[in-house]
């Protein structure tokens, strides 16, 4: 049964306000209280549901099914898996049941079954904002020994008693589930999306960052990407840790959960992360007593500071483009109602380029600074027409939030972004594919690259050579990132790649990027070593006169 977007949003809000879980005794739950700073900023609730009432054990538990098109439990067993890849591929497009029925095998596409259905996967840790347990558990085999879920209170949709009794195999997997529940205050969320797998037969550890939460609709309707580490061997003793490894350990320590502390001590600290020596783990965590580690925005800006300094020194000719592709744009930051600030255009880009003082002035001064520094900010965010023309239409839109009609300050920020600095870009329809059309991407990419000085009015092609890229769960909001003077309110995770060969010539960069759509559907060239692969078309164009950014009506 298809619903309108407003029905979906209402159902989701209702579901999360009263859902119960952990009602079945085999599931262990533990609540870790967190004290974080409150906010009146936006958060988004994502998903759709149908519902009925069943009995699990002796307790009544409300069960909510995300989609009528989900498989029945007897069909929800390990399916045929993709066997092997042609080498290690860090970025892959997540296969969609809606778009990829006729798409054949490719090493540049994966699904959750490829991770969870691996017979050598012994133990797994899941971090996410939403879980539909029926959808998640169907991908596992009985070879799994333990599934540990870290979840925000109220974000797990439980399984039903019929599912547990219908399939002994499913019940066996369910009884290996452990839930670690964390409390998050209003206007904050556990938004991280990460999988840590521990494998048998010497295969070691693997880390995955999917852009989707663990529900059927979110996995299949918007475009999603999976980042994965190589397999990393485990030693008998602690190893010398690199930057990625230390940051991952620091991130896990913020939870103050004994299970994650044991994971760090017994496994992560003994794992060889040398295969990720040129990658950084960038994360956000709420303010926590006893933790003085910089996370969020300050961690991000510190990561790119050296690259940006070198670029300012060696290249004063090129046009400097900063591209943000996000599924949510948060409210304005700062208190000036006459000049509402945007996190991207007023903080991230000016700080990186060295003209942050101009951002504290009025709009004309900031526009002048952008012009003098040959700097151009771009945001890929779907317009209304793109949502209407997407492969599944409005069904793909439930995860995109930009509430710029809420009040005058929000409208002023939108006017600045849309009409003054003109940051909004959309897909160039000539370069979309028949499988995906204008389906929006739920991913979050922050890219920086150089181009010859030229007009951007007719659009652009994301170049093959870039200077840095962050793939993350963090939307463009102060909740996700914090500010220069305050910690984030959310948990977020991401990976940073940087060019280590900076010269006056952009094409000398040893960091490349390419569209997964071009590789998979257009049979484009195979990506080079150290390539970032994104889900949207490589050719983009600015919003046209009548285009309006999508917002939830």
């Amino acid at each position: 049964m298809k619903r309108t977007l407003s029905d979906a949003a209402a159902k989701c809000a209702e579901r999360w306000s009263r859902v119960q879980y952990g009602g079945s005794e085999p599931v262990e739950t533990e609540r870790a209280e967190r004290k974080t700073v409150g906010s009146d900023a936006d958060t988004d609730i994502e998903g759709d549901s149908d519902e009925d009432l069943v009995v699990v054990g002796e307790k009544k538990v409300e069960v909510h099914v995300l989609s009528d098109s989900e498989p029945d439990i007897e069909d929800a067993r390990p399916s045929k898996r993709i066997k092997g890849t042609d080498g290690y591929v860090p970025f892959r497009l997540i296969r969609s049941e809606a778009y990829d029925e006729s798409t054949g095998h490719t090493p540049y596409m994966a699904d959750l079954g490829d991770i969870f259905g691996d017979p050598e996967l012994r133990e797994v840790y899941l971090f996410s904002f939403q879980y539909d347990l029926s959808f998640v558990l169907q991908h596992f085999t009985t070879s799994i020994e333990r599934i540990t879920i870290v979840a925000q209170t109220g974000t797990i949709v439980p399984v039903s008693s019929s599912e547990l009794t219908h399939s002994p195999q499913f019940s066996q997997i369910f009884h290996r589930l452990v839930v670690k529940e964390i409390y998050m205050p209003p206007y904050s969320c556990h938004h991280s999306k990460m999988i840590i797998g521990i494998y048998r037969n010497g295969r070691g550890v693997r880390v995955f960052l999917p852009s989707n939460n663990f529900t059927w609709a979110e996995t299949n309707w918007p475009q999603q990407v999976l980042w994965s580490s190589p397999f990393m061997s485990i030693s008998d003793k602690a190893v010398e840790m690199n930057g990625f490894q230390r940051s991952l350990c620091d991130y896990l320590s913020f939870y103050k959960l004994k299970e994650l502390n044991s994971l760090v001590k017994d496994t992560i600290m003994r794992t060889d992360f040398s295969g990720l020596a040129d990658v950084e783990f960038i994360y956000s965590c709420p303010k926590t007593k006893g933790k003085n580690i910089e996370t969020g925005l300050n961690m991000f800006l510190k990561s790119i500071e050296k690259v940006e300094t070198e670029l300012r020194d060696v290249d004063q000719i090129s046009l400097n483009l900063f591209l943000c592709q996000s599924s949510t744009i948060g409210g304005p930051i700062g208190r000036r109602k006459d000049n509402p600030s945007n996190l991207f255009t007023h903080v991230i880009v000016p700080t990186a380029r060295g003209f942050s003082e101009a951002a504290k002035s009025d709009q004309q001064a900031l526009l002048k600074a952008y012009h003098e520094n040959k700097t151009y900010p771009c945001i890929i965010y779907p317009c209304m027409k793109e949502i209407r023309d997407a492969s599944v239409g409005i069904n793909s839109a439930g995860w995109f939030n930009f509430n710029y009609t809420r009040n005058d300050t929000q409208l002023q920020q939108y006017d600045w972004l849309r009409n003054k600095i003109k940051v909004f870009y959309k897909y160039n329809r000539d370069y979309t594919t028949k499988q995906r059309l204008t389906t929006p991407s739920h991913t979050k990419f922050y890219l920086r690259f150089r181009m010859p000085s030229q007009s951007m009015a007719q659009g652009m092609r994301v170049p093959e050579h870039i200077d840095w890229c962050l793939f993350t769960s963090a939307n463009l909001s102060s909740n996700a990132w914090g500010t220069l003077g305050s910690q984030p309110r959310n948990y977020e995770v991401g990976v940073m790649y940087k060019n280590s060969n900076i010269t006056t010539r952009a094409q000398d960069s040893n960091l490349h990027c390419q569209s997964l759509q071009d590789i998979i559907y257009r049979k484009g060239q195979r990506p080079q070593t150290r390539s970032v692969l994104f889900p949207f078309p490589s050719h983009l164009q600015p919003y046209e006169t009548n285009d309006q950014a999508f917002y939830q009506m």
Side-chain angles (χ1 to χ4, degrees), residues 88 242 244 273-280 496-500 510-511 529-530:
Y88 165 52
N242 64 15
F244 188 106
F273 274 75
S274 59
L276 296 175
D278 61 346
V279 185
E280 295 178 25
M496 170 70 79
Y497 288 77
K498 291 184 284 192
N499 171 23
S500 60
N510 58 15
L511 180 60
T529 305
R530 294 198 79 229

Side-chain angles (χ1 to χ4, degrees), residues 36-226:
T36 62
V37 182
S39 167
D40 60 356
D42 301 331
T43 55
D44 53 292
I45 296 179
E46 307 172 337
D48 191 4
S49 67
D50 286 321
E51 61 181 88
D52 55 23
L53 189 67
V54 299
V55 177
V56 178
E58 298 298 320
K59 300 179 180 179
K60 290 185 177 180
V61 179
E62 293 177 62
V63 177
H64 309 268
V65 183
L66 284 175
S67 170
D68 294 328
S69 58
E70 290 184 51
D72 293 329
I73 194 63
E74 65 179 349
D75 296 323
R77 300 295 88 226
S79 58
K80 183 178 179 181
R81 306 297 180 204
I82 297 175
K83 300 190 179 209
T85 64
D86 302 329
Y88 165 52
V89 180
F91 292 90
R92 288 176 283 175
L93 191 66
I94 291 185
R95 184 178 291 273
S96 167
E97 292 180 26
Y99 316 128
D100 295 312
E101 184 178 353
S102 60
T103 304
H105 163 71
T106 168
Y108 303 104
M109 187 175 280
D111 62 30
L112 293 181
D114 300 323
I115 305 171
F116 300 150
D118 190 326
E120 294 187 350
L121 180 63
R122 175 172 60 83
E123 187 174 351
V124 70
Y125 294 78
L126 308 182
F127 302 76
S128 192
F129 181 45
Q130 294 179 45
Y131 299 83
D132 174 19
L133 287 187
S134 299
F135 172 70
V136 173
L137 298 181
Q138 70 177 6
H139 295 98
F140 287 94
T141 72
T142 53
S143 62
I144 191 72
E145 294 179 11
R146 186 180 178 93
I147 305 166
T148 302
I149 283 178
V150 179
Q152 177 177 342
T153 304
T155 62
I156 298 178
V157 181
V159 300
S160 67
S161 58
S162 62
E163 289 174 304
L164 294 175
T165 58
H166 188 77
S167 169
Q169 188 176 8
F170 185 88
S171 179
Q172 188 177 353
I173 294 168
F174 176 78
H175 282 73
R176 293 169 185 173
L177 175 67
V178 176
V179 174
K180 299 297 178 183
E181 179 187 2
I182 60 174
Y183 167 76
M184 299 294 294
Y187 308 111
S188 63
C189 67
H190 182 257
H191 200 248
S192 296
K193 298 159 181 52
M194 181 168 64
I195 303 164
I196 301 177
I198 304 173
Y199 295 79
R200 301 182 182 88
N201 299 324
R203 293 175 75 192
V205 172
R206 202 170 191 190
V207 179
F208 302 88
L209 302 186
S211 61
N212 60 295
N213 293 303
F214 296 128
T215 71
W216 183 93
E218 186 169 335
T219 302
N220 288 279
W221 280 343
Q223 297 200 78
Q224 306 284 6
V225 163
L226 173 70

Side-chain angles (χ1 to χ4, degrees), residues 401-419:
N401 297 273
F402 184 18
N403 299 317
Y404 58 87
T405 63
R406 177 175 296 175
N407 54 48
D408 289 343
T409 306
Q410 295 272 16
L411 281 170
Q412 287 175 8
Q413 178 193 216
Y414 179 67
D415 180 64
W416 157 256
L417 296 172
R418 173 72 176 83
N419 303 316

Side-chain angles (χ1 to χ4, degrees), residues 286-471:
K287 184 176 181 180
T288 303
K289 186 176 181 180
K291 289 287 184 182
N292 296 314
I293 301 172
E294 282 191 336
T295 77
L297 182 63
N298 287 299
M299 187 181 196
F300 175 21
L301 292 173
K302 185 177 180 180
S303 172
I304 61 175
E305 183 179 15
K306 183 174 182 292
V307 174
E308 290 297 332
T309 300
E310 290 184 25
L311 286 167
R312 288 199 297 274
D313 290 341
V314 304
D315 188 354
Q316 291 87 36
I317 299 174
S318 298
L319 185 66
N320 301 275
L321 280 89
F322 290 76
L323 177 63
C324 168
Q325 179 270 310
S326 180
S327 60
T328 291
I329 300 176
I333 59 174
R335 300 180 180 275
R336 290 187 58 180
K337 293 184 178 181
D338 61 323
N339 183 22
S341 301
N342 174 268
L343 184 65
F344 189 58
T345 61
H346 284 70
V347 181
I348 294 176
V349 179
T351 304
R353 288 291 291 155
F355 57 88
S356 57
E357 285 301 314
K360 299 175 184 177
S361 187
D362 57 25
Q363 292 182 352
Q364 289 304 315
L366 183 54
L367 286 171
K368 181 180 178 182
Y370 270 105
H371 177 73
E372 291 176 346
N373 287 273
K374 297 181 179 179
T375 303
Y376 202 98
C378 312
I379 297 177
I380 302 176
Y381 185 81
C383 66
M384 293 288 195
K385 188 175 189 307
E386 286 184 297
I387 294 296
R388 290 195 299 269
D389 294 345
S391 300
V392 295
I394 197 70
N395 285 326
S396 63
W399 301 268
F400 296 82
N401 297 273
F402 184 18
N403 299 317
Y404 58 87
T405 63
R406 177 175 296 175
N407 54 48
D408 289 343
T409 306
Q410 295 272 16
L411 281 170
Q412 287 175 8
Q413 178 193 216
Y414 179 67
D415 180 64
W416 157 256
L417 296 172
R418 173 72 176 83
N419 303 316
K420 304 290 178 51
I421 199 166
K422 300 179 180 179
V423 298
F424 288 118
Y425 277 72
K426 61 180 182 178
Y427 303 166
N428 185 320
R429 289 295 297 265
D430 292 338
Y431 293 89
T432 58
T433 61
K434 65 179 182 180
Q435 292 87 353
R436 302 271 170 156
L437 298 176
T438 57
T439 298
S441 300
H442 186 250
T443 49
K444 292 88 183 167
F445 280 92
Y446 297 77
L447 298 94
R448 196 260 203 247
F449 50 91
R450 289 171 283 163
M451 294 177 64
S453 295
Q454 62 187 43
S455 172
M456 303 291 294
Q458 301 305 313
M460 65 175 169
R461 182 189 187 280
V462 180
E464 179 183 345
H465 302 270
I466 60 176
D467 289 309
W468 54 256
C469 174
L470 175 66
F471 170 68

